[in-house]
Amino acid sequence: EVQLVESGEGLVQPGSSMKLSCVASGFTFSNYGMNWIRQAPKKGLEWIALIYYDSSSKYYADSVKGRFTISRDNSKNTLYLEMNSLRSEDTAMYYCAKLDNNYWYFDFWGPGTMVTVSS
Amino acid sequence: DIQMTQSPSFLSASVGERVTLSCRASQNINKYLDWYQQKLGEAPKLLIYNTNNLHTGIPSRFSGSGSGTDYTLTISSLQPEDVATYFCLQRNSWPYTFGAGTKLELK
């Protein structure tokens, strides 16, 4: 059974940094692209970052480009999101999501971890 | 970026009723359209990919159709467990973009 579990939840001040993790199990993590997707309170979903299975390519939404960094450690089956220069508008539930290899849809998601940016 | 517009924003329907949700893209997305179901407090779950393909384990009362810019999710006979918010997602081009969602409740 595919499982994704995010961690790193917390309250931080504007301008600070935070790192999220997502531990994967139930599939060969090193074979799949992975994503971070977020959902602001009572708002819709926003894709923010993608990393290829071998870290050879990374892509970001304009809203986080230059501030957030996606990475992975295939030996630990873990996906990361390093977030710098956090803003109030980054307050959201952050989900990691696995990318299907054939059709590139998000086939499995974690339960999410909440990040609150507030002074 | 491609804008996705869902309608209605809110829908109330009775158990057993046929329900139709709509999603419109700001440009042709070549059937690269997925539907997700999100229940309160849970992560989104993939229902349908590429317009009309049911994801593994999804009940056959869910179906999708459409082409070009206009797409539809249909629930043939609404069940109590279908109460949720439904999002569409376009995968025609990066960045992938979601619709704002349709919140479905029981009448």
Side-chain angles (χ1 to χ4, degrees):
Chain A
E1 179 193 3
V2 172
Q3 285 201 323
L4 299 167
V5 180
E6 304 91 342
S7 61
E9 175 171 311
L11 168 64
V12 295
Q13 293 196 331
S16 62
S17 299
M18 194 171 191
K19 188 170 186 176
L20 305 181
S21 300
C22 168
V23 176
S25 61
F27 65 102
T28 305
F29 180 72
S30 58
N31 287 352
Y32 292 90
M34 295 295 295
N35 298 264
W36 287 99
I37 297 163
R38 69 183 179 183
Q39 186 173 32
K42 300 190 178 179
K43 295 286 179 71
L45 295 155
E46 179 188 20
W47 167 83
I48 57 172
L50 157 69
I51 185 168
Y52 280 17
Y53 71 100
D54 59 356
S55 302
S56 60
S57 293
K58 302 176 185 182
Y59 299 95
Y60 300 92
D62 287 345
S63 58
V64 305
K65 200 175 294 181
R67 300 188 300 123
F68 289 13
T69 302
I70 189 171
S71 62
R72 63 192 297 160
D73 185 337
N74 286 344
S75 68
K76 295 181 178 179
N77 287 353
T78 303
L79 175 73
Y80 301 101
L81 185 68
E82 180 107 43
M83 304 183 292
N84 298 318
S85 303
L86 282 162
R87 307 165 180 166
S88 58
E89 54 264 37
D90 295 319
T91 295
M93 182 71 79
Y94 284 75
Y95 299 101
C96 65
K98 173 181 168 290
L99 200 65
D100 172 81
N101 272 346
N102 292 320
Y103 296 105
W104 280 49
Y105 51 70
F106 308 127
D107 55 358
F108 292 99
W109 301 49
T113 191
M114 186 68 199
V115 173
T116 304
V117 183
S118 175
S119 54
Chain B
D1 298 359
I2 296 175
Q3 306 303 313
M4 304 300 293
T5 303
Q6 289 188 243
S7 61
S9 300
F10 177 85
L11 181 60
S12 181
S14 302
V15 172
E17 188 174 336
R18 182 181 181 88
V19 170
T20 300
L21 284 60
S22 296
C23 182
R24 173 167 287 177
S26 58
Q27 64 189 71
N28 181 8
I29 56 171
N30 299 299
K31 295 193 172 186
Y32 292 111
L33 189 286
D34 306 330
W35 289 96
Y36 289 85
Q37 177 194 64
Q38 185 177 33
K39 296 183 179 180
L40 198 62
E42 297 182 7
K45 181 173 77 170
L46 177 67
L47 296 176
I48 288 173
Y49 65 94
N50 288 359
T51 296
N52 56 10
N53 294 276
L54 231 55
H55 187 49
T56 307
I58 302 302
S60 58
R61 64 179 179 274
F62 291 93
S63 64
S65 63
S67 63
T69 61
D70 293 318
Y71 298 84
T72 297
L73 171 69
T74 299
I75 307 174
S76 60
S77 178
L78 186 66
Q79 299 303 302
E81 61 265 33
D82 299 336
V83 169
T85 299
Y86 293 82
F87 295 95
C88 60
L89 167 72
Q90 70 79 20
R91 289 185 291 107
N92 185 70
S93 61
W94 291 97
Y96 289 178
T97 46
F98 293 86
T102 293
K103 187 174 184 180
L104 178 59
E105 291 192 352
L106 286 180
K107 192 178 291 183

